[in-house]
Amino acid sequence: RQPLAPDAEFLLAWLYMGVGDWAKAKPRLARLAFAADANLYHTAVYGAGLLRFDGDAAEARRCLEVLQKAQPDAPRTVELHAAVLDAE
């Protein structure tokens, strides 16, 4: 069996999140968020999920740092920054 393409992997993780199964979504999103060719939307969703489901501001901050380097003024970056500050 071949691994899923990143977009399919994200969709599966998104569906798991939608039904509240963070335990299955989290490892998939983590792989996508920090991949060499990561889609920054995946990184932002992972960061938001960490805060929502785990309350893990430290790991969400890692996502924020990736976003700030690539797109410091993007709305998703600003939104995650605010959420991380609120959680800390």
Side-chain angles (χ1 to χ4, degrees), residues 3-35:
L4 295 174
D7 287 340
E9 184 89 17
F10 178 76
L11 180 58
L12 183 56
W14 185 262
L15 291 172
Y16 282 137
M17 284 177 55
V19 297
D21 196 343
W22 178 241
K24 288 185 180 176
K26 184 178 179 177
R28 294 174 184 282
L29 288 172
R31 278 192 302 274
L32 293 169
F34 298 112

Side-chain angles (χ1 to χ4, degrees), residues 54-84:
D54 290 344
D56 189 348
E59 184 70 3
R61 182 165 282 286
R62 282 187 59 214
C63 295
L64 176 60
E65 289 168 359
V66 170
L67 295 172
Q68 286 177 323
K69 286 179 185 173
Q71 297 177 334
D73 298 322
R76 67 176 146 231
T77 304
V78 174
E79 181 179 3
L80 186 58
H81 190 190
V84 167

Side-chain angles (χ1 to χ4, degrees), residues 30-50:
R31 278 192 302 274
L32 293 169
F34 298 112
D37 59 347
N39 177 323
L40 295 177
Y41 180 71
H42 300 167
T43 306
V45 169
Y46 179 54
L50 287 164

